């Protein structure tokens, strides 16, 4: 009986959070562990610690960066600090230690943080975009135009269409060819940190290069002081060098690093004060040649305000939800080609979001029956999982999809997010839902 | 619980996804998260303009609150800088708190306003903060519902 097919699935199996489904239809899912979204991420990234750490596929020279910093600092602590502590002050290793920790922590944060990757457009969104562009109503497929012009704070800004991610890139977003991702507020792809620098990790990057320039300058100064103190008296400078060969290594590394670190810090300080990205500066997007006004529509027209906005602004969330779960038998519908039409009309549409209103509507329908015929009507919350409210498991509602009972998709609930709350909250009775339902078949 | 439908069950059970409408971002004020409040033509017959506008304006206000650059944001930023941003590992940021509020609001709106009209709003965070996806559902008359069956229910617990 078609009407009853989907109801034969035991709702208890679905309602119990994180429980193993007991119905026969779900038995085959027992052997499949729920996969996380990072495992099917389309970009060129690598993930560690079950999706907690994200790096570019090509880590660049990150090991070299880390190695140089650690080796130089360790040599300084071992060979220079004892002499300086006895001859000067204990503050030297303390300051160096703090700077070293700052440098390493911010370097690792820059490298392992999602820079602001934009998830690729889903097929429905792509279809909608193409439909909007195709104003002529022609049925023939043609590629969307490359740019769309918008006005931001009085300035005309062109939004480019990204053929990889199948969307018009938001302002200040750029596609990194190395990582194969669109990154918000894209600054540059830094091989030294092995990751893109974008909206979410720019402050880590800035803190890294500033503290690194301080550390480099500090070590250089301390090593020179150490050698100078050693060479006082009858000893010559060369003898001092021979007595402390590690200092020579530090001297060389710091001398050659300081130009680039100081230069980079100065350049990025200018960018922060102007609220510009490296990408925009290099391309000359907001050239100052046009007059006194820089023409930058994102600037707050004040150095302090720009600095605060860039460095102390709110920390935006990661949009790729790499630790969220995928339903075991649902493959994420990322864009593969531009010719997919009306995927939401397909019978095998397993997009979890499509099940949500069916769940809601089914809840209303059953409540009316249960309420009238069963005195011990167990709330249909039993049918509702504790996952994302409108991504609940309700494939059973689709007559064409009665055999699969995927586990619900869930965002990472590390901090007890509302996405793990029951879809039907306390206080909203089934009768209330029915009363609210006024939808008529047109 | 094991429930069978009555032969004259309401058409809710055969609701199917008919269309999806995407409300785009409004970049007129910069990169702050803001969505267009204009009611799309596909929803003209589905929902009142004022209700829709209220929903989107409230969402815009929430996002503006999350991205507000003020005293609280500066304090958070300075504290984070001093601790080498380690507090982000153990502290819930203001943005995340507001995202939870947004999620609750969308859930509430869906339950009270949109679901009764056969619509469903998807949280923009699920779409990379690019669009507000609104799914439109149509009831289709079930051809198989002519089979009559008694309505029974029993507790499975």
């Amino acid at each position: 009986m078609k009407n009853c097919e989907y109801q034969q699935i035991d709702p208890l199996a679905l309602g119990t959070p994180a429980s193993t489904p007991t119905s026969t239809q779900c038995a085959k899912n027992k052997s499949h562990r729920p996969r996380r979204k990072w495992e099917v991420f389309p970009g060129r990234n690598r993930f560690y610690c079950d999706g907690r750490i994200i790096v570019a596929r090509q880590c660049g020279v990150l090991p070299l960066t880390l190695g140089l910093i650690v080796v130089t600092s360790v040599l300084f602590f071992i060979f220079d600090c004892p002499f300086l502590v006895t001859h000067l002050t204990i503050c030297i290793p303390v300051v160096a230690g703090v700077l070293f920790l700052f440098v390493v922590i911010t370097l690792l944060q820059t490298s392992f943080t999602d820079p602001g990757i934009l998830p690729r457009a889903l097929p429905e969104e792509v279809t909608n975009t193409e439909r909007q562009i195709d104003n002529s109503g022609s049925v023939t497929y043609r590629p969307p135009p490359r740019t769309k012009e918008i006005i931001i704070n009085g300035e005309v800004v062109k939004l480019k269409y990204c053929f990889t991610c199948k969307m018009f890139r938001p302002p200040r977003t750029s596609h990194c060819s190395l990582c194969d991702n669109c990154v918000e507020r894209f600054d540059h792809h830094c091989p030294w940190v092995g990751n893109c620098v974008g909206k979410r990790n720019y402050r880590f990057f800035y803190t890294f290069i500033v503290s690194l320039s301080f550390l480099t300058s500090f070590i250089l100064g301390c090593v020179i002081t150490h050698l100078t103190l050693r060479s006082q008296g009858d000893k010559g400078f060369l003898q001092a060098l021979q007595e402390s060969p590690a200092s020579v290594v530090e001297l060389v590394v710091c001398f050659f690093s300081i130009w680039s670190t100081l230069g980079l810090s100065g350049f990025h300080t200018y960018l922060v004060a102007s609220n510009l990205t490296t990408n925009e500066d290099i391309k000359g997007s907001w050239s100052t040649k046009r007059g006194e006004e820089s023409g930058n529509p994102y600037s707050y027209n004040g150095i302090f305000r720009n600095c605060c906005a860039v460095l102390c602004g709110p920390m935006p969330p990661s949009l790729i939800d790499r630790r969220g779960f995928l339903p075991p038998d649902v493959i994420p519908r990322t864009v593969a080609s531009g010719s997919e039409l009306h995927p939401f009309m397909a019978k095998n549409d397993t997009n979890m979001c499509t099940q949500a209103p069916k769940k809601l509507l089914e809840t209303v329908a059953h409540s009316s029956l249960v309420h009238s015929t069963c005195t011990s009507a167990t709330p249909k919350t039993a049918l509702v999982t504790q996952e994302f409210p409108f991504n609940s498991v309700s494939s059973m509602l689709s007559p064409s999809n009665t055999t699969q009972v995927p586990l619900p998709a869930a965002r990472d609930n590390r901090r007890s997010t509302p996405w793990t709350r029951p879809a039907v909250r306390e206080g909203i009775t089934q009768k209330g839902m029915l009363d609210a339902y006024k939808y008529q078949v047109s | 619980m094991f429930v069978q439908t009555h032969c004259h069950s309401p058409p809710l059970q055969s609701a199917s996804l008919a269309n999806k409408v995407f409300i785009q971002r409004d970049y007129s004020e910069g990169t702050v998260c803001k969505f267009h409040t204009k009611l799309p033509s596909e929803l003209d017959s589905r929902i009142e303009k004022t209700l829709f506008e209220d929903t989107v304006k409230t969402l815009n206000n929430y996002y503006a609150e999350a991205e507000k650059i003020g005293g609280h944001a500066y304090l958070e930023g300075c504290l984070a800088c001093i601790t080498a941003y380690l507090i982000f590992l153990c502290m819930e940021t203001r943005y995340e708190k507001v995202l939870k509020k947004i999620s609750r609001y969308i859930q509430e709106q869906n339950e009270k306003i949109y679901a009764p009209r056969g619509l469903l709003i998807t949280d923009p965070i699920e779409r990379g903060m690019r669009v507000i996806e609104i799914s439109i559902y149509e009831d289709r008359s079930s051809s198989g519902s002519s089979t009559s069956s008694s309505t029974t229910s029993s507790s499975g617990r």
Side-chain angles (χ1 to χ4, degrees), chain A residues 7 119 354 357 360 415 437 439, chain B residues 5 12 96 111 115-116 130 137:
Chain A
Q7 291 161 347
T354 69
L360 208 50
R415 293 202 186 107
Y437 183 78
Y439 177 68
Chain B
T5 54
L12 309 171
E96 284 168 341
E111 285 167 3
R130 280 194 312 271
Y137 283 78

Side-chain angles (χ1 to χ4, degrees), chain A residues 37 321 323-327 386-388 391 407-413 419-420:
Chain A
K37 290 178 186 174
D321 186 32
R323 281 181 52 77
F325 283 105
L326 284 170
Q386 67 168 10
E387 301 303 346
F388 184 81
N391 279 353
L407 290 177
R411 274 186 81 84
D412 173 24
N413 56 353
W419 301 287
T420 58

Side-chain angles (χ1 to χ4, degrees), chain A residues 98-115:
Chain A
V98 169
L99 283 173
F100 172 71
L101 281 174
F102 248 82
V103 166
V104 172
I105 289 169
T106 49
L107 170 63
L108 294 178
Q109 284 180 329
T110 311
S111 301
F112 298 154
T113 302
D114 167 18

Side-chain angles (χ1 to χ4, degrees), chain A residues 205-234:
Chain A
F205 176 75
Y206 184 76
T207 312
F208 163 64
I209 54 172
V210 168
S211 50
L212 182 64
S213 49
F214 275 119
L215 179 69
T216 313
S217 315
F218 188 78
I219 290 178
L220 186 66
C222 289
V223 166
I224 290 172
T225 307
H226 171 209
L227 292 171
T228 306
L229 288 172
R230 260 190 200 271
S231 60
Q232 278 174 352
D234 295 336

Side-chain angles (χ1 to χ4, degrees), chain A residues 85-163:
Chain A
V85 166
T86 52
H87 285 77
L88 289 175
T89 171
I90 197 167
C91 291
I92 289 174
V94 171
V95 170
V98 169
L99 283 173
F100 172 71
L101 281 174
F102 248 82
V103 166
V104 172
I105 289 169
T106 49
L107 170 63
L108 294 178
Q109 284 180 329
T110 311
S111 301
F112 298 154
T113 302
D114 167 18
I117 296 170
L118 281 176
R120 297 186 185 186
L122 295 177
E124 295 89 353
E125 209 181 317
V126 176
T127 311
N128 181 73
T129 307
E130 289 173 2
R131 216 183 275 147
Q132 284 179 356
I133 291 164
D134 194 8
N135 296 327
S136 63
S138 167
V139 295
T140 57
Y141 171 76
R142 57 182 172 87
R146 295 267 299 170
T147 59
K148 178 166 86 171
E149 285 190 0
I150 59 169
I151 297 182
I152 298 177
N153 291 329
E155 292 283 338
V156 176
V157 176
K158 278 187 183 168
L159 303 186
K160 285 187 181 170
Y161 186 82
C162 181
F163 283 97

